[in-house]
Amino acid sequence: MNFHSIMRDLPAYEELPFDESVIMRLYQDLTEGLSDEDLPAPGTVSLLDQHAVSARDNGVLDIIVATGNDLNTEPVQDPIMVSMLVNCHFWRLSPLPSCNNLMGCIASRFYLLKKGLPAFRFLPKTKILEDWSMGSSFSGSARYSLRESIVADGAATDWTAYYDSFMSIMLHMLQLMEESLANLKESDDLILTRIAASDGFNHRQKTLLKRAVLAPETEFAISEHRAAHGIAYSTARTDFEDLVARGLLVRTTRATANVYLSAPDLRVSFARLIERSASEKAAL
């Protein structure tokens, strides 16, 4: 499936309406490049298969679209709960030939993105359900196991325990994400401060290093560096080659031109350089 690429690029869909044509476009993107033999059999959901309805119902797409446009959620409900309703419609009935579980995840995240809650698209919902089914309580945030939370009783199934536990898990995962981002920001702030304070690099190299730290996927070109600082080719090349020699950038080739990338261990290499420089100064 192309699930992860869709999640990564989901903001490209943000301005599109939540309608059947966009749902079908997402489905086509999800299954692009796959043959019928590659796709799972329709009507089954691995984690919730005992409650999934295998019969297809094309009319459920109308229900999904209405839910995604807040047309049938009286009284007004929290967007997170509405997103869960969008998700459940995909696996309670099978509106598409296959991949309804993943489509439920995608559509619910699409809804939340349009509601201004983009953080939820980063939570690995499918992995969360798998871990929950294997017995994880997510540090005690799940009040019930997945099996305990679903008591099958046909159309009268009570989903209170399921939603209670799953929302608690989602909030727990968001807290972990927030803590991780805070730690990363602290690390970023520290290395940026150390770069700015270092006397071993010129101001142009410091600009390169800061960008390499914050956006390690960046490809640096000599021509762009020259234009940004109004310097000669030889000066620009020296800036890069000096950083390569110190193990902070790596040189590669695109077409016939050299480009420079952040070294895989840039943060570690920079820390070692600073420590070595401090030791040498102390020795003097």
Side-chain angles (χ1 to χ4, degrees):
M1 301 298 113
N2 300 312
F3 177 78
H4 295 293
S5 63
I6 291 175
M7 286 295 99
R8 185 173 58 250
D9 300 331
L10 197 59
Y13 298 83
E14 185 173 5
E15 300 304 319
L16 299 177
F18 194 108
D19 62 18
E20 183 173 342
S21 66
V22 175
I23 295 296
M24 294 307 300
R25 172 176 166 178
L26 287 166
Y27 178 68
Q28 291 167 0
D29 291 345
L30 177 67
T31 59
E32 183 180 6
L34 301 175
S35 66
D36 291 341
E37 290 74 20
D38 296 323
L39 297 174
T44 58
V45 180
S46 58
L47 296 175
L48 302 168
D49 53 359
Q50 60 182 312
H51 309 289
V53 178
S54 60
R56 290 192 58 197
D57 182 349
N58 294 330
V60 78
L61 273 174
D62 294 333
I63 298 174
I64 291 169
V65 169
T67 304
N69 286 282
D70 300 304
L71 299 179
N72 61 356
T73 54
E74 293 293 340
V76 176
Q77 298 186 39
D78 186 278
I80 298 175
M81 295 305 296
V82 177
S83 76
M84 294 296 291
L85 291 174
V86 169
N87 194 343
C88 289
H89 286 313
F90 276 92
W91 53 263
R92 286 292 293 168
L93 291 172
S94 299
L96 301 170
S98 57
C99 311
N100 282 281
N101 190 34
L102 286 179
M103 277 302 301
C105 291
I106 292 171
S108 65
R109 304 306 175 83
F110 177 44
Y111 171 82
L112 287 170
L113 180 68
K114 292 181 69 65
K115 283 292 182 178
L117 298 168
F120 281 92
R121 78 187 179 94
F122 297 103
L123 293 180
K125 193 171 185 180
T126 302
K127 182 65 164 58
I128 289 170
L129 283 170
E130 290 176 352
D131 289 349
W132 193 19
S133 72
M134 296 298 292
S136 174
S137 67
F138 298 89
S139 301
S141 60
R143 296 176 179 85
Y144 305 91
S145 69
L146 178 58
R147 184 173 297 277
E148 291 171 337
S149 71
I150 304 176
V151 181
D153 190 20
T157 297
D158 185 351
W159 294 96
T160 305
Y162 175 84
Y163 284 125
D164 177 81
S165 290
F166 194 72
M167 288 298 99
S168 297
I169 293 171
M170 294 286 273
L171 290 172
H172 172 70
M173 298 302 289
L174 281 171
Q175 182 179 0
L176 292 180
M177 180 190 294
E178 184 177 17
E179 292 172 359
S180 177
L181 289 172
N183 290 336
L184 181 60
K185 183 179 185 304
E186 183 178 356
S187 174
D188 286 346
D189 290 345
L190 177 61
I191 192 170
L192 293 179
T193 298
R194 297 182 78 177
I195 289 172
S198 173
D199 56 7
F201 307 95
N202 63 48
H203 70 280
R204 299 182 304 275
Q205 290 177 314
K206 289 180 179 181
T207 299
L208 291 172
L209 286 173
K210 289 177 181 179
R211 190 176 173 193
V213 165
L214 297 178
E217 73 282 359
T218 302
E219 293 188 355
F220 298 98
I222 292 177
S223 58
E224 294 174 359
H225 189 57
R226 286 186 64 194
H229 297 283
I231 54 179
Y233 176 89
S234 58
T235 303
R237 186 176 184 279
T238 298
D239 283 346
F240 283 112
E241 290 298 323
D242 177 57
L243 295 177
V244 170
R246 301 197 208 191
L248 303 178
L249 296 181
V250 294
R251 184 194 327 107
T252 188
T253 304
R254 295 284 182 268
T256 59
N258 286 337
V259 296
Y260 299 84
L261 306 172
S262 171
D265 56 351
L266 170 59
R267 292 169 183 259
V268 174
S269 297
F270 180 79
R272 288 173 178 168
L273 275 176
I274 296 299
E275 290 171 4
R276 186 161 59 246
S277 177
S279 298
E280 292 173 351
K281 287 182 178 180
L284 294 175

